[in-house]
């Protein structure tokens, strides 16, 4: 802990923190950074909220290619991609969810040019020519219309210009990296300008599948974007953007971090390849088939801005259509046990309209409304493979001698040395030979589950904010929003696994044979679907007792006082946030009051107390925000090895601080750094998913082979929230001659050791991160030509991004290894 405190103190001494700095002037003064975090333009130092800004220069020099890369310059932001391209999670200040289940929306809203992207995957396309990226920390429900209970990411791209120009760049690197990006802009007439942008991103896989010999975690994506700006008068502008992006990749790499008895049986009894936990970072994986992910997104948006004199009117209309599909070997071994096909289609219409005052008086105001209409179709098909029966026989074990001795002597030879699954089939076949056949009824290739859903969602919000300048120094702010959300969901789940559908506690054929009905009850652990329900079958909805509708509304507000002390601006604030309830769109959901996880999760209610200081000093600035933030009803979505457990935590809270700063001590040197400290805990969480390793709170019932559904995590530290995150960079800019300029940039990113996932043991899933990125470039100024060499994860730091219980292999655990060192050369031409 002493070293961590020294780290923080050293960073403060260097004027810690900001992940970005603006384009500098010729002296040691950093230019003002303009942001639109409050839906109107303000400088970073004047806006009284905690916001991190990353500018174009930083993005180019740091090789930030997408939002996953962005976290290396914003330590309070964590972005993870898991076992599919569409399963990406955004976390701010330790809060966030939304991956793995299409019914759960993210707690961090992503906005691109003011347009809300309703699902995380929709924000993964390579960033176009951008102006800045703003990361707003804490709830933003008062001004942003949808799902910003933990924060918001706002990406602002460059508008078309009325002067011809553009930029094109090409990169090559290790792993056969090939990237091309370009943007061209110019006038069509005195009132109309266009910008056309595109990108192509290809790379061989970072990992090798030892079973097939093919690469995994490659890159194969492209995007195009058209942007038109029409300014018929000096008071009116119309901007229309259309875009399309496509991803088709072999993703994602998963490795074994512990092989339990079930996985060892695959390697020993079945003789199939399994992963070696000792080689988790050897960039080798074992799947019997290669995973595949495809995703396409397209959309069109229009923004109208009109100056009414007393106020500025803004209207943003958008429609987006996203489709994704994936195929994956979900047992993550060389055996053909089970495969998962998933697909979804999401169609989203959004409309925002707002009016912002234009006066110079003591009162400034903003009022607006937001509307969203979304249609979602999603589903998965899990099928057993050719090795499923051998796997099930191995897990069920041989018929015990005690049972053989209790059976009639005539049938003992037929069951000696056989598995319990075979014995079950054999005994049932004696009473119903036409229904059950030994060796060919349970756990057959092609059996499984079809799991399909659709959901329609309509939501709207009305919001407003007033700033009152009491004096030249003191400004008071009040904001209010009303949010309303309605979801209508429908399920169509078909169980094709006869073993999961069997009631082992009362096998119907056994009474006719004079055997107890619960003779094989302990095989319940092998009922991968609906083993913990009384009917052992799905209950589709809507039905007589379930409407399939989820409605909710909330009034959120924010109050703030800001005071200008001259070189220091200070503010105190209290704000609330809300995220609507969620549907568990998976076969893991259960009818209300049934044994298991519910259909839905209640809304999240957020409140945060915050105090901030923003200081300017010669050559730089330093910003501090200290906060206490809590979420009542946090929508926990834990993967348990068979599915997702969606439940509400009673309350989760975090106390901490963020420091952002940049300093230019001399004309040629820029220093930047940031520190985030988070002290989080579950104040109340009695419904957390049970796990294998927590035997004290999740004991196995010897009669059924099952664990309780829930455990109590009250007082525990939530997983996945690092206590310390630190990022710093140094950039040297030098004139090499009259025509040439050079720069060198080095970044260091640190995350303290963190238990990644609550469903895996801490000793297997606790990692820190120490990442160094570097770049070196030379620019020919007259020709606007730049050549840059770069490296990410220069020291090849090895860690796991996330971990989880291995699918259907109780006692085994898997993880997602980090990317290795990558490097390359970029040539960039501006004109």
């Amino acid at each position: 802990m002493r070293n961590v405190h020294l780290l923080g103190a050293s960073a403060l001494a260097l004027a810690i923190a900001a992940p970005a700095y603006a384009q500098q002037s010729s002296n040691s003064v950093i230019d003002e950074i303009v942001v639109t975090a409050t839906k109107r333009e303000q400088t970073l130092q004047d806006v009284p909220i905690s916001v991190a800004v990353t500018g174009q220069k930083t993005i180019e020099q740091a090789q930030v290619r997408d939002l996953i890369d962005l976290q290396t310059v914003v330590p309070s932001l964590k972005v993870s991609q898991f076992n599919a391209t569409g399963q990406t999670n955004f976390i701010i200040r330790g809060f966030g969810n939304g991956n793995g289940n299409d019914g759960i929306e993210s707690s961090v809203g992503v906005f691109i040019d003011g347009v809300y992207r309703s699902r995380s995957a929709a924000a993964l396309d390579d960033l176009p020519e951008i102006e800045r990226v703003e990361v707003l920390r804490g709830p933003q429900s008062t001004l942003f219309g949808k799902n910003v209970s933990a924060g918001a990411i706002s990406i602002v791209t460059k508008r078309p210009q009325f002067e011809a120009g553009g930029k094109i760049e090409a990169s090559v690197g290790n792993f056969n990296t090939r990237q091309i990006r370009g943007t061209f802009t110019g006038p069509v007439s005195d009132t109309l300008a266009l910008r056309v942008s595109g990108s192509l991103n290809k790379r061989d896989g970072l990992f090798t599948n030892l079973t097939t010999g093919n690469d995994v975690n490659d890159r194969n994506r492209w995007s195009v974007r058209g942007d038109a700006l029409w300014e018929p008068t000096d008071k009116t502008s119309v901007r229309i953007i259309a875009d399309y992006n496509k991803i088709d990749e072999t993703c994602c790499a998963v490795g074994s971090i512990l092989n339990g008895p079930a996985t060892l049986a695959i390697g020993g009894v079945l003789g199939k390849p399994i992963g070696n936990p000792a080689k988790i970072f050897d960039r080798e994986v074992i799947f019997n088939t290669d995973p595949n992910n495809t995703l396409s997104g397209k959309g069109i948006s229009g923004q109208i801005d009109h100056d009414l004199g007393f106020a500025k009117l803004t209207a943003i209309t958008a429609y987006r259509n996203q489709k994704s599909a994936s195929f994956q070997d979900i047992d993550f071994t060389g055996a053909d046990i089970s495969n998962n096909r998933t697909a979804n289609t999401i169609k989203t219409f959004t409309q925002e309209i707002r009016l912002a005052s234009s006066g110079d008086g003591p009162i400034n105001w903003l009022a607006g409304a937001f509307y969203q209409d979304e249609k979602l179709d999603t589903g998965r098909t899990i099928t057993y493979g050719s090795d499923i029966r051998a796997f099930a026989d191995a897990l069920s074990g041989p018929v015990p001698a005690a049972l053989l001795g209790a059976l009639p002597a005539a049938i003992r030879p037929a069951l000696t040395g056989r598995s319990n699954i075979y014995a079950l089939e054999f005994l049932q076949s004696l009473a119903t030979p036409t229904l059950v056949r030994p060796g060919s009824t349970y756990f057959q290739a092609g059996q499984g589950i079809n799991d399909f859903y659709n959901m329609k969602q309509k939501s709207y919000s009305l919001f407003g904010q007033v700033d009152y300048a009491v004096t030249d120094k003191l400004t008071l702010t009040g904001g209010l929003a009303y949010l309303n959300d309605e979801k209508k969901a429908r399920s169509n789940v078909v169980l094709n696994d006869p073993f999961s559908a069997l009631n082992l506690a009362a096998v119907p054929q056994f009474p006719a044979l004079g055997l107890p009905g619960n003779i094989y009850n302990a095989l319940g652990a092998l009922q991968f679907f609906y083993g913990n329900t009384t009917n052992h079958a799905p209950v589709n909805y809507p039905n007589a007792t379930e409407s399939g509708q989820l409605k909710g509304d909330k009034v959120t507000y924010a109050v703030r006082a800001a005071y200008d002390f001259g070189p220091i601006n200070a503010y105190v604030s209290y704000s609330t946030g809300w995220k609507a309830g969620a549907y568990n769109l998976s076969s893991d959901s259960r009818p209300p009051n049934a044994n298991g996880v519910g259909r839905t999760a209640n809304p999240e209610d957020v409140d945060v107390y915050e105090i901030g200081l923003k200081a300017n000093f010669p050559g730089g600035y330093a910003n501090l925000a200290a906060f206490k933030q809590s979420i009542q009803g946090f929508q926990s979505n834990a993967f348990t090895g068979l599915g997702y457990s969606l439940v509400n935590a009673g309350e989760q809270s975090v106390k901490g601080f963020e420091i952002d700063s940049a300093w230019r001590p001399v004309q040629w040197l820029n220093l930047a750094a940031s520190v985030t400290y988070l002290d989080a805990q579950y104040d109340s969480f009695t419904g957390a998913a049970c796990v294998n390793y927590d035997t004290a709170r999740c004991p196995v019932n010897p009669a059924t082979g099952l664990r309780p559904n829930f455990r109590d995590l009250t007082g525990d530290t939530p997983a996945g929230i690092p206590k310390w995150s630190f990022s710093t960079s140094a950039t040297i800019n030098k004139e090499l001659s009259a025509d040439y300029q050079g720069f060198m940039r080095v970044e260091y990113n640190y995350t303290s050791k963190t238990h990644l996932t609550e469903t895996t043991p801490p000793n297997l899933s606790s990692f820190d991160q120490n990442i160094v990125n570097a770049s070196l470039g030379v620019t020919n100024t007259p020709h606007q030509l730049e050549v840059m060499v770069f490296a990410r994860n220069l020291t090849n730091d090895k860690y796991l991004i996330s971990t989880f219980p291995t699918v259907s292999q109780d006692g085994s655990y898997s993880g997602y290894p980090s990317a290795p060192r990558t490097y390359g050369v970029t040539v960039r031409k501006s004109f």
Side-chain angles (χ1 to χ4, degrees):
M1 180 60 71
R2 180 176 180 271
N3 291 337
V4 173
H5 286 161
L6 289 175
L7 175 67
S10 300
L12 284 168
L14 286 172
I16 310 182
Y21 48 83
Q23 191 89 21
Q24 286 81 10
S25 58
S26 59
N27 51 39
S28 59
V29 176
I30 295 181
D31 292 343
E32 289 184 333
I33 301 172
V34 176
V35 299
T36 54
T38 58
K39 296 293 182 79
R40 60 170 78 238
E41 290 189 351
Q42 290 179 279
T43 68
L44 177 63
Q45 295 306 95
D46 289 336
V47 63
I49 64 173
S50 181
V51 55
V53 185
T54 304
Q56 177 194 12
K57 200 69 175 178
T58 297
I59 287 174
E60 290 181 348
Q61 293 182 349
Q63 280 289 302
V64 174
R65 291 296 185 181
D66 54 32
L67 293 181
I68 295 176
D69 294 336
L70 185 65
Q71 63 186 322
T72 61
V73 291
V74 185
S76 57
L77 171 69
K78 301 301 176 186
V79 186
S80 301
Q81 178 177 295
F82 299 135
N83 69 305
T85 302
Q87 292 195 18
T88 303
N89 209 23
F90 299 97
I91 296 176
I92 294 178
R93 288 180 174 174
F95 290 135
N97 49 26
N99 64 291
N101 191 321
D102 288 329
I104 308 171
E105 297 168 284
S106 176
S107 300
V108 176
V110 178
F111 300 81
I112 299 181
D113 290 319
V115 175
Y116 173 63
R117 299 293 184 98
S118 66
R119 292 299 188 277
S120 299
L124 278 180
D125 52 325
D126 287 357
L127 297 175
E129 181 78 354
I130 74 160
E131 187 173 300
R132 65 184 180 277
V133 179
E134 303 175 14
V135 177
L136 288 64
R137 302 151 172 155
Q140 306 296 324
S141 297
T142 304
L143 286 181
F144 289 81
K146 183 73 175 174
N147 292 343
V148 285
S149 57
I153 301 171
S154 177
I155 301 173
V156 181
T157 67
K158 286 197 170 183
R159 294 160 64 92
Q161 303 296 307
F162 285 91
E163 181 178 346
K167 183 182 297 183
I168 187 168
E169 67 176 58
S171 300
V172 294
N174 62 333
F175 299 102
N176 198 24
T177 296
R178 297 95 71 203
Q179 298 175 342
I180 300 176
R181 303 175 69 208
T183 182
F184 305 91
T185 187
V188 176
S189 67
D190 292 340
T191 60
L192 179 63
L194 300 178
R195 179 183 292 276
V196 178
S197 306
S199 68
L200 178 66
N201 188 345
K202 288 181 174 288
R203 184 195 67 202
D204 293 346
L206 304 178
F207 300 80
T208 301
N209 183 355
L210 296 181
T211 307
T212 66
N214 298 325
D215 287 347
V216 178
N217 278 42
D218 63 343
R219 278 285 182 269
N220 183 17
R221 52 184 65 179
W222 59 272
S223 64
V224 292
R225 193 173 196 256
D227 192 347
L229 177 63
W230 181 45
E231 296 181 339
T233 71
D234 58 356
K235 293 186 177 182
T236 304
S237 70
V238 179
R239 187 182 184 188
I240 298 176
I241 302 172
D243 68 273
Y244 180 85
N245 69 289
K246 177 74 174 182
I247 297 174
D248 186 357
E249 297 174 347
T250 305
C251 177
C252 298
V254 176
S256 298
I257 59 176
L258 178 67
N259 290 331
T263 307
L264 293 175
I266 295 173
V269 179
L270 275 67
K272 301 291 184 177
I274 59 174
N276 184 349
K279 297 183 177 181
I280 184 66
F281 295 114
D282 283 9
R283 297 192 287 110
E284 297 173 343
V285 297
I286 295 178
F287 308 142
N288 68 288
T289 57
D290 294 316
N292 180 260
N293 285 264
T294 61
L295 184 147
S296 63
K298 58 186 176 182
I300 185 168
S301 67
Q303 176 172 336
I304 300 175
D305 293 287
H306 181 67
D307 187 354
L308 299 173
F310 72 97
K312 181 181 179 181
L313 174 67
T314 299
I316 304 175
T317 307
Y319 172 78
R320 299 205 61 79
N321 186 322
Q322 177 185 300
K323 296 181 179 181
S324 67
S326 67
F327 174 80
Q328 189 169 44
D329 166 23
I330 55 174
D331 56 85
F332 309 120
T333 70
D336 183 18
I337 294 176
S338 59
N339 298 285
N340 184 22
R341 295 182 184 273
T342 64
N344 66 28
T345 299
I346 305 172
K347 300 177 181 180
T348 308
F349 171 83
T350 57
Q351 175 67 61
E352 180 177 358
I353 186 168
R354 62 179 184 265
L355 199 62
S357 64
S358 302
D360 296 327
I363 296 178
N364 285 291
W365 52 267
L366 181 147
F370 173 85
Y371 173 76
Q372 179 194 22
D373 189 329
E374 182 170 274
K375 296 179 180 179
L376 164 69
D377 290 286
T378 185
R380 67 177 182 177
T381 297
I382 298 178
T383 54
Y384 294 147
S386 59
D387 292 320
I388 184 62
R389 181 55 187 249
F391 178 63
D393 284 340
L395 294 187
S396 70
V399 178
L403 178 58
L404 283 174
L407 295 175
I411 65 174
R412 290 175 196 167
L415 299 182
T416 300
R418 292 285 192 170
S419 72
N420 279 296
I421 295 292
Y422 181 90
L424 174 63
E425 292 172 323
F426 181 87
L427 292 173
Q428 286 184 282
S429 71
L430 295 179
T432 54
T434 59
L435 296 178
V436 180
R437 292 183 298 170
S440 60
T441 296
Y442 302 131
F443 296 106
Q444 299 299 303
Q447 295 176 353
I449 192 169
N450 295 321
D451 200 12
F452 298 104
Y453 305 85
N454 62 66
M455 185 174 72
K456 297 180 180 180
Q457 177 181 198
K458 292 184 179 181
S459 59
Y460 67 89
S461 66
L462 307 173
F463 56 87
Q465 181 169 293
V466 176
D467 298 323
Y468 173 48
V470 181
T471 68
D472 291 343
K473 302 290 186 179
L474 176 63
T475 300
L476 302 179
T477 299
L480 193 69
Y482 172 73
L483 300 95
N484 186 289
D485 186 273
E486 178 181 358
K487 296 179 174 72
K488 295 181 180 180
R490 179 178 297 273
S491 70
N492 181 21
V493 182
V494 179
L495 181 62
N496 300 312
D497 173 16
F499 186 79
S500 289
L502 183 64
N503 185 356
L504 292 170
V507 178
Q509 293 91 341
F510 283 4
L513 300 175
L515 299 173
N518 62 353
I519 188 172
Y520 280 111
N521 200 27
L523 292 178
L526 297 182
Q527 293 186 311
F528 301 134
F529 307 103
Y530 299 103
N532 61 349
T533 63
T534 55
N535 66 326
H536 290 272
V539 177
N540 286 307
Y541 58 90
N543 53 52
T545 59
E546 296 179 89
S547 67
Q549 296 187 37
L550 190 62
K551 299 180 180 180
D553 62 351
K554 185 74 173 182
V555 174
T556 65
Y557 60 92
V559 292
R560 185 167 53 239
Y563 196 87
D564 183 1
F565 289 96
I568 296 178
N569 290 338
Y571 68 90
V572 293
S573 68
Y574 173 75
S575 59
T576 64
W578 184 76
K579 190 179 86 167
Y583 261 101
N584 189 353
L585 300 183
S586 77
S587 58
D588 314 300
S589 68
R590 300 291 181 261
N593 303 319
N595 184 23
V597 179
R599 301 284 200 203
T600 62
N602 293 325
E604 293 180 352
D605 290 298
V606 186
D607 64 79
V608 59
Y609 297 88
E610 184 168 313
I611 182 170
L613 298 174
K614 297 196 172 188
N616 291 296
F617 54 85
Y621 64 85
N623 300 334
L624 165 68
F627 55 87
K628 183 181 186 303
Q629 185 169 325
S630 63
I631 293 185
Q632 292 79 36
F634 174 73
Q635 295 170 359
S636 173
N637 184 41
F639 183 72
T640 61
L642 289 175
Y644 289 91
S645 173
L646 174 62
V647 294
N648 289 101
E651 182 175 5
Q652 178 180 335
S653 64
V654 62
K655 297 178 289 186
F657 64 82
E658 299 148 342
I659 306 174
D660 294 313
S661 163
W663 184 32
R664 192 176 191 183
V666 292
Q667 186 272 335
W668 50 269
L669 177 63
N670 299 279
L671 301 176
S674 66
V675 167
T676 298
Y677 171 78
L678 302 173
D679 181 12
Q681 77 166 12
Y682 285 123
D683 302 288
S684 174
F685 193 8
T686 59
C690 249
V691 292
N692 172 285
Y693 69 89
D694 193 348
T695 56
R697 290 180 285 192
C698 303
V700 174
N701 184 334
T704 64
L706 301 176
R707 298 183 183 88
N709 288 311
F710 306 116
R711 59 180 175 148
D712 187 355
L713 293 184
T714 302
D716 286 10
T717 298
I721 303 179
K723 190 170 285 288
W724 290 94
S725 299
F726 172 67
S727 174
T728 188
S729 68
T731 305
I732 297 174
N733 296 282
K734 293 289 290 183
E735 289 192 8
L736 305 178
S737 68
D739 292 340
Y740 289 91
Q741 293 182 330
F743 80 89
M744 180 174 67
R745 176 184 174 89
V746 178
E747 302 171 357
Y748 171 65
N749 305 284
Y750 166 80
T751 299
S752 61
K753 195 171 186 178
T754 307
H755 181 200
L756 299 176
T757 314
E758 283 149 5
T759 54
T760 51
N763 63 306
L764 297 176
S765 59
S766 296
F767 288 85
D768 59 3
Q769 296 180 20
N770 292 272
I771 300 174
V772 177
N773 302 322
S775 56
L776 177 69
V778 176
T779 302
N780 180 288
T781 307
H783 294 92
Q784 300 185 71
L785 181 65
E786 179 181 7
V787 178
M788 179 179 71
V789 295
F790 63 88
R792 296 188 65 84
N793 193 11
L794 183 63
T795 59
N796 203 27
D797 189 37
K798 298 175 181 178
Y799 56 92
L800 294 181
I801 299 171
S802 186
T803 57
F804 60 94
T806 309
V807 177
S808 300
Q809 296 165 61
D810 196 34
S812 299
Y813 299 94
S814 301
Y816 301 99
S818 59
R821 174 174 50 243
T822 57
Y823 52 85
V825 179
T826 296
V827 179
R828 184 179 294 119
K829 167 67 175 176
S830 301
F831 49 90

